C-alpha cells in the first residue's frame, strides 16, 4: 500500500480520487500539423480506465493508439475535450507541476526498451531517481531492490547488451516502476520479445503494476497476450470502435 495519498501530499492528485477513474477521456481530439497537412489522430475519444484494471488498446497501425496513450500520460497535449488522470487535468498544469505530477504518478514503457547502453541495469533503473536529484548510492540500491521484484536480482551490474530481450524489457519495466506510479502505460511492450518472454513479461506486469488504486494500459498487436487484459478497447481511425472483455475477443 502506498503511503502518499493524504491531502497535501505534493500533487499526487485531487482529493476525490477514490471514486474517480484512473483516466477519463471525454471527447478528446488531437490533430498534428498545420494548414493543408493536418492529420486528425484522435476524433472525439471517450474512455474511462478504472483503477485496478488492465486495459489493452488494439487496432491497426496509424489508428491513434500511441497518440491516445501519450495524451493520457501527459506527454502530448490534446486539442479539444477533457483528459483527467486521477482527477488531475494535466494539460492545465504548468511545466514544472506537470513534470512533477508525471514523475510521481505515471510510468511509461516503450517497445524498444530505451536503455542507456553504457549504464548497468541497476543504474538504468535508478535514472528517474537520479534525475529527481536523489544521491547515487541509495538510488542504485533501491534500483537493485526493484530489479529483484522483476526477477533480475543477479543481473544488476550487467550492461543491457549482456541481457536477453526479455531481461532488457524487465529492466525497462523496473525503471518505469521505480517511483511506484499509479498509472503505468506500455506501448507494445512484448512486440520485440519471443512468445514465452512476452507471456512472462505480461504476468509480471499484472503482478507488479496493478493494485486497487493503480491502473495499467497496454498498447499491443499481440493477440496472444489478450487473456491478460480486463478489457480490450479497439481503436479505428482515431476513435474507440468497441470495448470487449478478453473472453469475447476473436481468436481465443
Ligand atoms: P498508432 O500508434 O495506432 O500506430 P499513432 O498515434 O502513432 O498511431 O498515429 C495516428 C496518426 O497520427 C497517424 O496517421 C500518424 O501518421 C499520425 N501522426 C502520429 N504522430 C505524428 C506526428 N508527430 N506528426 C504528424 N503526424 C503524426
Ligand atoms: Mg504506435
Amino acid at each position: 500500500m502506498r503511503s502518499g495519498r493524504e491531502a497535501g501530499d505534493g500533487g499526487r492528485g485531487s482529493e476525490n480520487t477514490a471514486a474517480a477513474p484512473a483516466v477519463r477521456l471525454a471527447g478528446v481530439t488531437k490533430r498534428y500539423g498545420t494548414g493543408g497537412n493536418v492529420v486528425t489522430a484522435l476524433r472525439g475519444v471517450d474512455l474511462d480506465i478504472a483503477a485496478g484494471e488492465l486495459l489493452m488498446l488494439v487496432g491497426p497501425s496509424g489508428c491513434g493508439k500511441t497518440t491516445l496513450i501519450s495524451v493520457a500520460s501527459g506527454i502530448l497535449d490534446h486539442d479539444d475535450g477533457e483528459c483527467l488522470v486521477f482527477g488531475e487535468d494535466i494539460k492545465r498544469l504548468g511545466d514544472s507541476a506537470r513534470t512533477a505530477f508525471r514523475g510521481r504518478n505515471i510510468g511509461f514503457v516503450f517497445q524498444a526498451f530505451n536503455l542507456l547502453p553504457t549504464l548497468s541495469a541497476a543504474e538504468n533503473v535508478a535514472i528517474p531517481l537520479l534525475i529527481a536529484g536523489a544521491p547515487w548510492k541509495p538510488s542504485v540500491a533501491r534500483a537493485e531492490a526493484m530489479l529483484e521484484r522483476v526477477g533480475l536480482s543477479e543481473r544488476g551490474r550487467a550492461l543491457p547488451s549482456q541481457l536477453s530481450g526479455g531481461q532488457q524489457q524487465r529492466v525497462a519495466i523496473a525503471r518505469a516502476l521505480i517511483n511506484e506510479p499509479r498509472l503505468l502505460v506500455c506501448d507494445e511492450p512484448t512486440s520485440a520479445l519471443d512468445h514465452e518472454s512476452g507471456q512472462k513479461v505480461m504476468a509480471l506486469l499484472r503482478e507488479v503494476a496493478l493494485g486497487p488504486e493503480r491502473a495499467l494500459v497496454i498498447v499491443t498487436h499481440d493477440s496472444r497476450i489478450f487473456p491478460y487484459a480486463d478489457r480490450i478497447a479497439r481503436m479505428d481511425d482515431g476513435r474507440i470502435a468497441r470495448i470487449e472483455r478478453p473472453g469475447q475477443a476473436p481468436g481465443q
Side-chain angles (χ1 to χ4, degrees), residues 61-62 64-67 111 187-188 219 221:
S61 182
K65 304 181 297 296
T66 296
T67 303
Q111 173 177 3
D187 200 353
E188 313 232 10
V219 168
H221 275 114

Side-chain angles (χ1 to χ4, degrees), residues 91-202:
K91 190 179 163 184
R92 290 177 186 269
L93 296 175
D95 282 350
S96 64
R98 177 192 296 231
T99 303
F101 181 85
R102 286 181 48 206
R104 291 194 193 95
N105 293 285
I106 304 171
F108 209 103
V109 173
F110 301 89
Q111 173 177 3
F113 317 147
N114 290 354
L115 301 177
L116 295 180
T118 58
L119 296 185
S120 71
E123 289 162 354
N124 267 284
V125 174
I127 287 172
L129 304 174
L130 298 170
I131 288 175
W136 184 273
K137 265 199 164 174
S139 298
V140 174
R142 231 176 104 187
E144 276 165 353
M146 186 53 81
L147 281 173
E148 202 172 320
R149 284 191 65 196
V150 302
L152 288 177
S153 49
E154 307 298 317
R155 306 311 311 272
R157 292 179 181 205
L159 293 173
S161 60
Q162 296 168 319
L163 300 172
S164 70
Q167 289 173 330
Q168 289 182 57
Q169 191 57 299
R170 281 166 188 260
V171 174
I173 289 166
R175 180 182 54 190
L177 290 175
I178 191 77
N179 281 323
E180 297 189 51
R182 290 194 283 172
L183 173 65
L184 184 69
V185 177
C186 308
D187 200 353
E188 313 232 10
T190 64
S191 64
L193 305 179
D194 62 63
H195 176 61
E196 198 187 330
S197 306
Q199 299 282 317
K200 282 186 181 162
V201 160
M202 284 310 307

